[in-house]
Amino acid sequence: MSHDNDVTSNVRPGWNAEQSHYNPGREARGVQAPEDQFFEASGVLFEQAMAQTRMAVCLCDPHQPDLPIVFANRAFRNLTGYEEHEVVGQNCRLLQGPETDQREVDKIRAALASEDVVVVELLNYRKDGSTFWNALHLGPIYRSDGQLAYFFGSQWDVSEVRAARAEERHARIMARELSHRIKNMFAVISGIVNITGRVRGIPGEAAEINGRIQALGRAYETTLDEASSGAIEIGPAIRAILAPYDADAERLKFLGNGLRVHFATVSVVGLVLHELAANATKFGAWSKDGGRVEVDWHETTGEDPGKLLVRWREYDGPHIPIPPEQRGTGSQIVDRMLRHGGGSMTRQWHHDGLEATIVIPA
Amino acid sequence: MNILMLEDEPLILMDLEFAAEDEGCRALCASSVSEAMAILDSERIDSAILDVTLKDGETCVPVARALDERGIPYLLHSGDLDRHDETVRALGAELVAKPASAATVIARAIKYARDAHRQTANG
């Protein structure tokens, strides 16, 4: 954008009486495009906007030794703490200090030499010595005849943006570390159970406990990435719980789609599905070649809305003429847990397998 | 069959050791890179199980490289998949995510050793 030499007024060149705008005081020489042309009214409007914008702006004169600042708007003065007369005539390096990264300064130097536009982010110093992160956008301004007139610099204080970025990075690192430790903790718990079972001569029982712990571990793992909110996606958790049984697409089919539920739901869903899968392996559809299971999940509607409904259906399993006694330890645990959580499970025995419907407050 | 196990968590190491013994294997346990290297120099190893992140900022990478040089198969056993994504990918070994049952991990290690033996016998 070129706007330096088209502003004509009868004020003498230089800073006007209120020091609110700069008048370069040159004649317009050949206007190339409409946006290069400033008539008197729009020129004044432009100068007012330049003076009053909250974006800090300065202009530097490449035709004077050491590229001095010839104009600095109010926002520039507010940002840096310098008065007008303290910056005009100075090189912009007066904002630099001991902690300013010289590599960024080199980029500025290179851009000035080649008359390029560049954006750098560097640590700057105010008059009182305090620092701020400056996103400096600088570039050349040409006169209508193509001659270099000024370099402009616009300064934006991005200290808060940088702090937020650092915080976010820190939070990500913490989340990853936490995830690692939780997985490790599950592995250690599993080790304790195995070792205790072995020492006490009850490896079978220990393995049963471990099966449940590991199903929970898999379910929790899927929730770690979004630990910041209370709600989690139940789909990935269900898939992870049943992953060890998922030998091929024929054997296990997932029909449910995305659904967010409360985090506390995970442990109940994890243990219930683990028991169903273990039983299907021992007595149900997965005890027989060709047996398969479909798992579906959605939110309830109608009379009892807003709950998580999981439907487990076994097909092509062995015929079970009389429904098995449901007082096995696994069933007892599941029924009691669901009751405590305000949920329920209904079992229906079809000729080729179990259909279980689990409802859990989500 | 000799299985080298590198793991800095004693309980996990013990669990793996028991599981290996159940399968009639000999478990050679190390909890640091230097211990693992000492075992590699003095024993004949058929396969290895390596925890990726070790204490004191160590990783299993030096041991993995030494195993590669000797042509010994190994698998990575880690709960820290993201952080060492690059490391893990560079090694090109199978990764068993923690928590996994010790029996599963040992079964994989034994399969690796058998496959390697078969390849040597055929080659």
Side-chain angles (χ1 to χ4, degrees):
Chain A
M1 186 159 66
S2 173
H3 48 68
D4 53 296
N5 60 345
D6 303 317
V7 179
T8 54
S9 71
N10 47 19
V11 179
R12 64 176 172 79
W15 296 100
N16 73 0
E18 292 84 42
Q19 297 276 287
S20 66
H21 72 280
Y22 183 72
N23 178 25
R26 289 190 208 101
E27 299 287 341
R29 275 180 289 178
V31 172
Q32 292 158 338
E35 63 263 37
D36 292 325
Q37 192 172 357
F38 284 98
F39 295 106
E40 198 151 337
S42 64
V44 170
L45 199 64
F46 170 79
E47 295 243 341
Q48 282 174 343
M50 185 74 146
Q52 291 173 18
T53 175
R54 289 171 57 209
M55 170 76 81
V57 175
C58 68
L59 295 178
C60 302
D61 187 350
H63 304 297
Q64 293 185 48
D66 203 29
L67 197 64
I69 296 172
V70 291
F71 168 81
N73 72 352
R74 194 183 300 155
F76 182 95
R77 281 139 35 205
N78 290 342
L79 174 63
T80 62
Y82 287 105
E83 295 297 327
E84 187 95 56
H85 67 272
E86 292 172 311
V87 286
V88 170
Q90 298 283 332
N91 183 284
C92 270
R93 82 173 70 83
L94 110 143
L95 298 176
Q96 295 168 20
E99 299 289 316
T100 306
D101 188 341
Q102 283 307 306
R103 282 169 302 188
E104 295 298 295
V105 176
D106 289 344
K107 282 189 209 164
I108 298 176
R109 205 165 289 147
L112 291 174
S114 56
E115 298 180 18
D116 273 340
V117 174
V118 72
V119 182
V120 295
E121 211 168 288
L122 73 175
L123 190 71
N124 274 170
Y125 291 70
R126 296 189 185 87
K127 187 186 174 186
D128 65 6
S130 62
T131 57
F132 64 97
W133 279 98
N134 181 5
L136 170 65
H137 185 164
L138 71 90
I141 295 174
Y142 297 103
R143 281 200 296 260
S144 314
D145 63 3
Q147 291 293 307
L148 177 66
Y150 298 103
F151 282 104
F152 75 90
S154 80
Q155 289 81 5
W156 195 251
D157 183 354
V158 291
S159 305
E160 281 177 16
V161 177
R162 281 183 71 102
R165 277 205 299 254
E167 225 165 81
E168 202 184 301
R169 213 162 30 232
H170 180 69
R172 258 205 314 273
I173 292 167
M174 289 297 286
R176 210 157 58 178
E177 180 62 28
L178 194 63
S179 155
H180 175 212
R181 287 188 192 184
I182 288 174
K183 288 175 195 168
N184 208 56
M185 198 179 75
F186 270 107
V188 170
I189 291 169
S190 196
I192 292 172
V193 172
N194 268 352
I195 292 160
T196 308
R198 183 179 301 267
V199 171
R200 303 285 292 223
I202 44 168
E205 286 85 341
E208 195 182 321
I209 295 170
N210 251 340
R212 293 189 181 124
I213 291 174
Q214 279 163 3
L216 274 191
R218 288 192 300 277
Y220 276 116
E221 209 180 299
T222 62
T223 69
L224 292 174
D225 291 338
E226 42 183 353
S228 55
S229 70
I232 53 114
E233 274 290 335
I234 196 67
I238 289 175
R239 289 167 196 273
I241 294 157
L242 297 172
Y245 305 95
D246 190 11
D248 58 66
E250 292 302 303
R251 217 166 100 93
L252 174 58
K253 203 175 253 175
F254 296 105
L255 300 175
N257 277 319
L259 176 61
R260 295 186 75 80
V261 299
H262 190 267
F263 172 71
T265 314
V266 167
S267 56
V268 179
V269 172
L271 285 182
V272 171
L273 288 179
H274 173 72
E275 297 304 328
L276 287 169
N279 283 336
T281 307
K282 270 186 246 169
F283 323 106
W286 289 337
S287 67
K288 184 170 165 259
D289 276 351
R292 58 200 175 83
V293 174
E294 285 181 2
V295 185
D296 192 4
W297 58 91
H298 55 83
E299 194 180 323
T300 57
T301 52
E303 279 179 24
D304 192 16
K307 294 186 171 178
L308 168 66
L309 185 146
V310 181
R311 186 178 148 277
W312 171 279
R313 174 71 162 97
E314 298 180 24
Y315 294 98
D316 303 329
H319 179 59
I320 300 168
I322 306 154
E325 179 60 40
Q326 286 169 15
R327 292 289 158 263
T329 51
S331 299
Q332 273 181 28
I333 292 172
V334 164
D335 288 349
R336 190 176 289 222
M337 195 174 57
L338 281 168
R339 217 166 44 234
H340 285 321
S344 66
M345 166 141 85
T346 51
R347 297 174 180 84
Q348 213 183 327
W349 296 90
H350 299 280
H351 68 280
D352 66 340
L354 168 69
E355 177 178 3
T357 307
I358 304 125
V359 177
I360 305 167
Chain B
M1 188 175 290
N2 290 345
I3 305 180
L4 170 68
M5 298 170 182
L6 174 59
E7 168 65 64
D8 66 344
E9 176 56 63
L11 279 159
I12 298 174
L13 190 56
M14 208 166 144
D15 193 20
L16 289 172
E17 187 183 9
F18 278 135
E21 285 168 2
D22 283 350
E23 297 300 320
C25 299
R26 188 163 156 249
L28 297 146
C29 301
S31 58
S32 68
V33 168
S34 60
E35 280 175 38
M37 293 303 226
I39 291 170
L40 264 182
D41 286 338
S42 58
E43 299 276 354
R44 188 186 57 79
I45 303 294
D46 297 292
S47 73
I49 298 162
L50 309 179
D51 180 17
V52 177
T53 321
L54 303 167
K55 57 178 184 282
D56 303 326
E58 282 189 325
T59 73
C60 70
V61 171
V63 180
R65 299 257 154 79
L67 289 164
D68 277 335
E69 280 168 24
R70 291 165 169 79
I72 300 169
Y74 58 89
L75 59 89
L76 302 168
H77 185 219
S78 174
D80 197 7
L81 307 188
D82 295 333
R83 189 177 335 177
H84 291 290
D85 208 23
E86 289 301 315
T87 321
V88 166
R89 226 176 304 158
L91 291 174
E94 189 198 359
L95 197 138
V96 178
K98 284 182 187 172
S101 88
T104 308
V105 179
I106 296 299
R108 299 297 302 161
I110 291 172
K111 183 181 177 299
Y112 269 44
R114 295 218 170 109
D115 289 352
H117 281 307
R118 205 166 300 135
Q119 261 177 12
T120 321
N122 294 343

